Amino acid sequence: MQNEGWNLENTYAALPEIFYQNQEPEGAVSPEIVIFNQPLAKELGLNPANISPDIFAGSRLPCGANPISQAYAGYQFGHFAMLGDGRAVLLGEQITPKGDRFDIQLKGSGRTAFSRGGDGRAALSPMLREYIISEAMYFLGIPTTRSLAVATTGVDVMREKTLQGAILTRVASSHIRVGTFNYISAFGTKDDLRKLADYSIWRHFPDLENKENKYILFLQEVAKRQGSLIASWQLVGFIHGVMNTDNMSISGETIDYGPCAFMDTYDPGTVFSSIDKLGRYAYDNQPKIGAWNLARLAEAVMPLFDGSESEVIEQAKGSIAQYWGSYNKNWIAGMRNKVGILGEEPTDTEMMAELLDLMAKNKLDYTATFRSLPSAQKSPPLIDWHKKWQSRLKNQDENIMLKHNPAAIPRNHHVEEALASAEQGDLSEMHNLLAALSKPFEDSQTYSQPPKHANCGYKTFCGT
Ligand code: AMP
Ligand code: MG
C-alpha cells in the first residue's frame, strides 16, 4: 500500500480502563469524500494523494490506530449526566512532522458503548456545518478543533426525515473535557484523578510538570485559557449554544459545533438553540457560564491540592478570579483593537459600552458596524458617538481595525444556502464560502453583506 503518512500513537488508550472503551467504527456502505482539507492534511504529515475515502467513512482503520470511545460526564444545562462518545471514535494521535500531537476522531461512525438511545450516526448537513464554522474560527485566529474531512457513508440516518449519513474527521489538540474530570471525580479513584491531571498537564501544560503545586497551577492555566477563549467568542459575536461541561475542552479550544451560530443583529440576549428555552447559553451569559463550568472543574481537581480545607477552597476561588482577570483583559484589549484606539484612557470602557448600547437599541449588525465604523459619521444612530470617538482617536489606526474586525463571518443565511446546495450534490457555494472565510479580514462582495431579513427566528439544533 502507498504511504498515507499516518504516524499514530495511542497514549490515551494507555490510561486505565475506566477512561474509555475499545470501539471500532461501524463502517460504511459506499464511502465517498465530500470535502477534504488538503492544507490541514499536509500540516498533519498526511499524503492526500495516497489517501482513500474508506478511512474517513469508517470502513478501514489507518495504520497504527487503536480505536476507542472516550468516557466522560457533563453538566448539561446545569445537571450532571453520564455521557461519553456516543457517536465518536478516537483513532489515535497523529504526530506531525513538526512533532505536534493531534487527536484524529471520527464523529458519526456508529453506535458505541456510550450511545444510550442514539444511533451513533450523523447527517451530512450538520457535519458540513461543523466543517464550515470550525474552519472559520480557525482563520479568525480563535483556538478551535479543526475539520479534516467529511465523508458520506451510504447509510441513511433517520431524523425528522431520512438523511444521508456522514462522518466528520475532527482534529483536536486533545478531547479531554471539563466533563472528563467530572466523570473521574464521580466514578474514579483519586489515583485515576491524578493520572488524568498528569496526562492533561503532559499534553497541554508541559512546563508545569516539575512544578510544586502543579495541580493548582494547572487549574489556573485552564482558567486563563477559558477566559481568553470566551472573550474571543464575544468579540466576534459567536454563540456556542451548548456550553455544557462536556463541551468545554481543557486545551482551551472551541469544541462541539452543534447549535452554535454567529449573531447578525447585535442583541446581547441572542439565543439560537431550539432547546435553550431559558437562554442559559445566550450570548451575554457565555462569560458567566465559563466561570460556572470552571467551578465544576475546580471541584473535581480540588482533592489533588495540598493544604487545609480552607486553603484548598481559597485556591479554587483564586482560579475563578484568574478566569475573570483573563476574560476582562482579553475582552478590553480586543475591543480597543476593534475600535482602533491606542493607549488607555479612563473613559474608554464607557465609550465602548455606549457604542454597544447604541448598536443594540438600533438593531445594528454586529460585524458590519465594527467593520464600517470609520465611515459611520453619516449613520444617524452613530453620529454623536462618532464625533466623540474621533476626538479620542488622536492617533487613529485603521489598520488595527481592519485586522481585528472581520468582513466575512459564517453568516447563517450563507451557511444555510451552502448546505442546501451541498445536500443536492453541488459543493460550489460551500467552496466559495470557505474561500471567503479563509481570508476573513478581506472585504468580500458577497460574504460581507448582512442578510436582508436579519434575526428572523433562526434556530439551531443539537446532536443532528
Ligand atoms: P452534544 O450535545 O453533541 O454534546 O452531545 C451530547 C451527548 O450525546 C454526547 O455524549 C454525544 O456523544 C451524544 N450523542 C449525540 N448524538 C448522538 C447520536 N446520534 N447517537 C448517540 N449518541 C449521540
Ligand atoms: Mg458534545
Side-chain angles (χ1 to χ4, degrees):
M1 196 188 297
Q2 286 172 312
N3 180 12
E4 296 178 332
W6 294 105
N7 184 17
L8 292 171
E9 290 187 0
N10 301 280
T11 60
Y12 202 87
L15 287 168
E17 275 177 21
I18 185 173
F19 284 87
Y20 64 91
Q21 294 276 336
N22 291 316
Q23 182 70 57
E24 297 219 348
E26 259 177 23
V29 175
S30 51
E32 252 178 73
I33 295 272
V34 178
I35 189 157
F36 188 75
N37 195 333
Q38 300 271 353
L40 177 58
K42 286 204 183 113
E43 275 174 51
L44 290 169
L46 301 177
N47 301 321
N50 296 346
I51 285 193
S52 60
D54 47 2
I55 286 182
F56 302 102
S59 291
R60 179 167 64 86
L61 291 171
C63 287
N66 179 3
I68 58 170
S69 287
Q70 291 172 310
Y72 52 83
Y75 285 86
Q76 297 193 301
F77 290 88
H79 303 284
F80 183 86
M82 178 59 208
L83 301 164
D85 285 332
R87 54 167 173 174
V89 167
L90 176 65
L91 297 177
E93 302 135 29
Q94 172 78 356
I95 311 300
T96 71
K98 283 191 188 157
D100 294 323
R101 178 182 302 269
F102 286 101
D103 276 11
I104 308 290
Q105 190 203 59
L106 302 182
K107 179 172 172 180
S109 58
R111 284 183 56 77
T112 75
F114 306 107
S115 292
R116 299 172 288 159
D119 62 0
R121 299 280 181 183
L124 176 60
S125 176
M127 295 304 99
L128 292 177
R129 196 168 184 279
E130 169 153 354
Y131 189 108
I132 297 170
I133 301 184
S134 62
E135 287 303 293
M137 294 290 266
Y138 171 77
F139 287 107
L140 285 166
I142 299 176
T144 177
T145 62
R146 294 195 67 190
S147 299
L148 177 62
V150 174
T152 44
T153 54
V155 177
D156 284 344
V157 299
M158 304 302 169
R159 298 295 183 256
E160 273 172 15
K161 49 184 180 172
T162 305
L163 298 168
Q164 302 176 65
I167 293 178
L168 172 89
T169 303
R170 179 156 74 181
V171 178
S173 71
S174 88
H175 284 84
I176 310 166
R177 304 143 191 271
V178 170
T180 317
F181 280 85
N182 299 147
Y183 165 70
I184 292 298
S185 161
F187 303 114
T189 62
K190 191 167 171 187
D191 193 46
D192 294 328
L193 181 63
R194 188 174 291 110
K195 287 196 168 112
L196 176 58
D198 285 340
Y199 182 79
S200 305
I201 290 171
W202 171 71
R203 269 193 90 158
H204 298 299
F205 308 96
D207 294 352
L208 302 183
E209 269 187 311
N210 299 315
K211 294 251 162 74
E212 243 180 87
N213 298 334
K214 64 179 171 181
Y215 301 116
I216 297 164
L217 295 173
F218 160 69
L219 179 63
Q220 291 177 350
E221 288 306 314
V222 176
K224 285 191 229 161
R225 286 195 195 178
Q226 291 294 338
S228 132
L229 177 70
I230 294 172
S232 65
W233 292 355
Q234 300 303 98
L235 290 165
V236 297
F238 173 77
I239 301 167
H240 183 284
V242 63
M243 290 173 69
N244 296 332
T245 59
D246 49 301
N247 294 333
M248 301 302 292
S249 169
I250 292 297
S251 71
E253 288 176 345
T254 313
I255 189 169
D256 226 322
Y257 292 88
C260 63
F262 281 70
M263 180 165 59
D264 290 312
T265 306
Y266 178 60
D267 172 359
T270 302
V271 176
F272 290 117
S273 170
S274 56
I275 59 165
D276 191 3
K277 303 279 185 229
L278 299 176
R280 179 181 170 89
Y281 299 136
Y283 173 77
D284 59 353
N285 264 349
Q286 297 192 122
K288 273 179 268 171
I289 292 293
W292 192 90
N293 287 344
L294 198 71
R296 305 290 79 73
L297 177 65
E299 283 162 5
V301 291
M302 261 161 53
L304 300 178
F305 295 174
D306 294 325
S308 66
E309 198 182 323
S310 61
E311 282 167 345
V312 165
I313 290 172
E314 279 314 304
Q315 283 152 354
K317 279 193 190 151
S319 71
I320 311 290
Q322 293 236 351
Y323 165 86
W324 281 116
S326 162
Y327 173 78
N328 288 324
K329 186 182 94 188
N330 283 287
W331 186 84
I332 199 82
M335 259 319 185
R336 279 180 202 288
N337 288 330
K338 284 176 86 69
V339 297
I341 53 183
L342 303 172
E344 293 181 22
E345 284 185 19
T347 51
D348 287 350
T349 321
E350 199 184 295
M351 201 170 78
M352 290 165 192
E354 216 177 295
L355 172 63
L356 289 170
D357 202 37
L358 285 167
M359 286 166 62
K361 284 201 178 107
N362 293 284
K363 300 189 170 36
L364 301 185
D365 183 86
Y366 183 82
T367 305
T369 301
F370 280 106
R371 183 76 182 178
S372 59
L373 267 188
S375 55
Q377 72 271 28
K378 290 192 206 95
S379 158
L382 298 181
I383 290 174
D384 289 344
W385 187 86
H386 195 273
K387 277 189 203 137
K388 229 189 275 180
W389 177 56
Q390 286 300 311
S391 63
R392 163 68 179 84
L393 290 179
K394 282 151 223 137
N395 305 309
Q396 177 170 359
D397 193 335
E398 282 186 21
N399 267 337
I400 296 189
M401 295 180 70
L402 289 175
K403 279 190 217 138
H404 290 88
N405 290 313
I409 52 156
R411 289 186 183 272
N412 304 322
H413 64 302
H414 291 134
V415 173
E416 293 303 322
E417 276 163 23
L419 294 178
S421 305
E423 271 192 308
Q424 303 304 317
D426 175 4
L427 269 282
S428 56
E429 272 196 63
M430 176 152 169
H431 286 294
N432 291 342
L433 176 60
L434 284 168
L437 297 174
S438 72
K439 296 182 189 118
F441 299 101
E442 288 180 18
D443 286 305
S444 147
Q445 191 76 33
T446 312
Y447 295 105
S448 304
Q449 299 306 318
K452 289 206 177 71
H453 304 284
N455 281 25
C456 288
Y458 184 70
K459 284 272 166 275
T460 56
F461 302 93
C462 285
T464 44

